[in-house]
Amino acid sequence: MQKRIAIIGGGIVGATAAYYLSTLPGAQHLKVTLYDDGNGQASKAAAGIISPWLSKRRNQQWYRLAKDGADLYPQLVHDAQLGTEVYQQTGTIVTRAALPDLEALDALAQERQKTAPTMGTVQQLTAQEVQAKLPLLTNPQAGVFLSGGAKVDGGALVDALLTQASHKNLTVRRERVKLDQDENVVTSLGAQRFDRVIIAAGAWLPELLVPLHVRTDVRAQKGQLIELAVKDYPLQENLPVLMPEGERDFVPFGHGKLIVGATHEDDKHFDLSLDAAVTADLLASAQRLMSGLTDQNITGVRVGTRAYTSDFAPFFGPLPEHDRFLVASGLGSSGLTTGPQIGRLLAGSALYGGTPDWRNYEKPLATYLTSSLA
Ligand SMILES: Cc1cc2nc3c(=O)[nH]c(=O)nc-3n(C[C@H](O)[C@H](O)[C@H](O)COP(=O)(O)OP(=O)(O)OC[C@H]3O[C@@H](n4cnc5c(N)ncnc54)[C@H](O)[C@@H]3O)c2cc1C
């Protein structure tokens, strides 16, 4: 018998869930409909850094999830036959001004490398060696290079996964939907009943769950970055990502496109307006590392809305007391890294059922979701 599955939200979580629901064994028995209005989507605004290994976060569940997310990428990219314009392991450079800090970072990298093969090789670089790898820099600092660090174009990845799934069992509907208290998805065609519903609505999860009387510990955060046109290095199309101490991250894509960002604006919530002062601040950060830049180099500004929880950790899984629904949110500033792993796990759960045990990756969902009737 055919099983009907809905996905609400077509960012990285919804798109990878849709992709796996079209490829996992048993997918031929599924009819999947994804609803997405795309407004404010974090995934297509994101900088695209996949390099969680040197994070200072102490949350071990988050680290395992992010590490496994980074590990999943090469397999996903291979299976979905995606090109280097979508995902590329070019390495990441993390810099430190003070030598003791650099040594400590190097020691952490050597330690984490033992259990994270995707991280690749670890190499301490002088400022000159950093500049040789990233000739755009005129004011380099010494750093640690991780050869497995990667960059991903979030918008291109989401589009490619949805296109592939659409060739199999997926229908994409570009519209905003709601839930009703009878657990239907309310669409422009009326209330629809699905066997399972994956709610991958990012920062918009709280409003969706109101009719189910579920209160959600998720808040919205504005993130902005700038795109710059800089000198092209045609013989070095694999320029590494730079995560400089005290400055914004540099993400060089091919053909002289450089992304610099991003901001974390807690007080702006769902605001998507462009802010000239923020653009100037991002440019100033880039100028401190790279001379000769002016606002003439800016070719675009991207704005998106991230979802955050009180402990900055993501959550995902079956919605307590509403088994029809699986939810995910709170991916914060590392959601392109953790998102594919979350989407894959949710797809498996929607398809095969059972009670998943994801204690390795997250706290119980009751930490983030409570009844508004209590
Ligand atoms: C500026 C910026 C830079 C970032 N840089 C990085 C980075 O370098 N590395 C990294 O790992 N992460 C990064 N992130 C974080 C990452 O982008 C997010 O954590 C991740 O994309 C969240 O994915 P998601 O699928 O949960 O939500 P989203 O991508 O926000 O997708 C949710 C979708 O659901 C849709 N939706 C919501 N409600 C409804 C509804 N009722 N009906 C229909 N559709 C609905 C929305 O329109 C949206 O399209 C960055 C984020 C920003 C904003």
Side-chain angles (χ1 to χ4, degrees):
M1 206 181 73
Q2 208 173 46
K3 197 169 171 183
R4 294 182 76 218
I5 296 184
I7 301 172
I8 304 176
I12 189 74
V13 176
T16 41
Y19 171 77
Y20 283 108
L21 283 171
S22 75
T23 57
L24 286 170
Q28 68 276 18
H29 304 300
L30 300 180
K31 189 173 182 311
V32 184
T33 310
L34 180 142
Y35 300 94
D36 181 58
D37 85 344
N39 191 35
Q41 184 183 107
S43 302
K44 67 183 178 207
I49 303 173
I50 309 297
S51 187
W53 307 285
L54 300 187
S55 168
K56 288 183 192 152
R57 292 175 64 157
R58 291 173 185 209
N59 180 338
Q60 284 303 309
Q61 288 163 314
W62 172 83
Y63 179 70
R64 275 193 290 270
L65 179 65
K67 181 173 93 58
D68 289 357
D71 287 349
L72 178 63
Y73 261 98
Q75 187 66 50
L76 172 62
V77 164
H78 173 267
D79 292 346
Q81 299 185 321
L82 304 173
T84 52
E85 74 288 355
V86 177
Y87 168 88
Q88 203 180 7
Q89 274 180 297
T90 52
T92 328
I93 300 169
V94 186
T95 68
R96 289 290 179 269
L99 189 59
D101 295 346
L102 185 68
E103 295 292 350
L105 192 72
D106 192 22
L108 176 68
Q110 303 288 352
E111 186 55 36
R112 292 224 162 134
Q113 202 268 346
K114 291 176 194 159
T115 54
T118 308
M119 189 171 152
T121 55
V122 177
Q123 198 184 349
Q124 209 183 111
L125 302 178
T126 63
Q128 289 70 27
E129 288 167 335
V130 167
Q131 192 176 36
K133 283 198 181 292
L134 201 47
L136 294 167
L137 299 174
T138 49
N139 187 21
Q141 282 180 339
V144 172
F145 176 70
L146 312 177
S147 68
K151 56 199 172 196
V152 63
D153 181 330
L157 175 63
V158 161
D159 287 347
L161 294 175
L162 292 181
T163 301
Q164 294 202 18
S166 299
H167 292 145
K168 296 187 173 157
N169 58 6
L170 176 71
T171 303
V172 177
R173 298 191 63 88
R174 298 288 174 194
E175 63 173 291
R176 191 153 200 90
V177 296
K178 292 182 181 173
L179 302 176
D180 68 18
Q181 57 187 13
D182 298 322
E183 302 195 341
N184 297 309
V185 178
V186 182
T187 75
S188 58
L189 301 175
Q192 310 274 319
R193 195 76 172 165
F194 291 92
D195 297 302
R196 302 302 299 275
V197 181
I198 296 176
I199 313 177
W204 297 267
L205 180 67
E207 65 190 45
L208 269 164
L209 295 187
V210 168
L212 302 179
H213 304 291
V214 176
R215 198 182 292 129
T216 315
D217 173 22
V218 170
R219 62 181 193 273
Q221 182 195 62
K222 182 177 182 180
Q224 299 185 66
L225 49 75
I226 51 174
E227 294 176 0
L228 301 160
V230 295
K231 186 175 171 203
D232 191 6
Y233 290 87
L235 299 179
Q236 267 178 289
E237 281 296 309
N238 57 349
L239 296 175
V241 170
L242 180 73
M243 301 169 82
E245 187 176 27
E247 298 292 356
R248 308 294 183 172
D249 297 330
F250 270 42
V251 191
F253 283 86
H255 312 295
K257 177 171 157 182
L258 175 67
I259 306 277
V260 175
T263 63
H264 296 77
E265 300 166 66
D266 284 330
D267 52 338
K268 297 283 174 59
H269 309 290
F270 290 97
D271 174 17
L272 293 175
S273 60
L274 303 185
D275 184 332
V278 170
T279 304
D281 183 59
L282 291 168
L283 178 64
S285 182
Q287 285 168 328
R288 285 190 282 276
L289 300 175
M290 197 179 148
S291 64
L293 283 179
T294 70
D295 54 8
Q296 296 294 311
N297 293 90
I298 299 177
T299 53
V301 182
R302 298 209 302 243
V303 187
T305 310
R306 300 185 192 90
Y308 267 92
T309 59
S310 296
D311 65 358
F312 301 98
F315 64 87
F316 55 98
L319 184 62
E321 294 174 32
H322 297 276
D323 284 350
R324 188 184 310 280
F325 297 105
L326 291 149
V327 295
S329 187
L331 277 68
S333 52
S334 50
L336 281 189
T337 311
T338 56
Q341 175 71 344
I342 293 173
R344 188 178 74 90
L345 292 171
L346 291 181
S349 186
L351 181 52
Y352 305 125
T355 310
D357 179 359
W358 292 325
R359 272 175 298 181
N360 262 347
Y361 288 148
E362 60 173 348
K363 291 181 186 162
L365 257 62
T367 314
Y368 310 98
L369 302 167
T370 49
S371 169
S372 59
L373 298 175

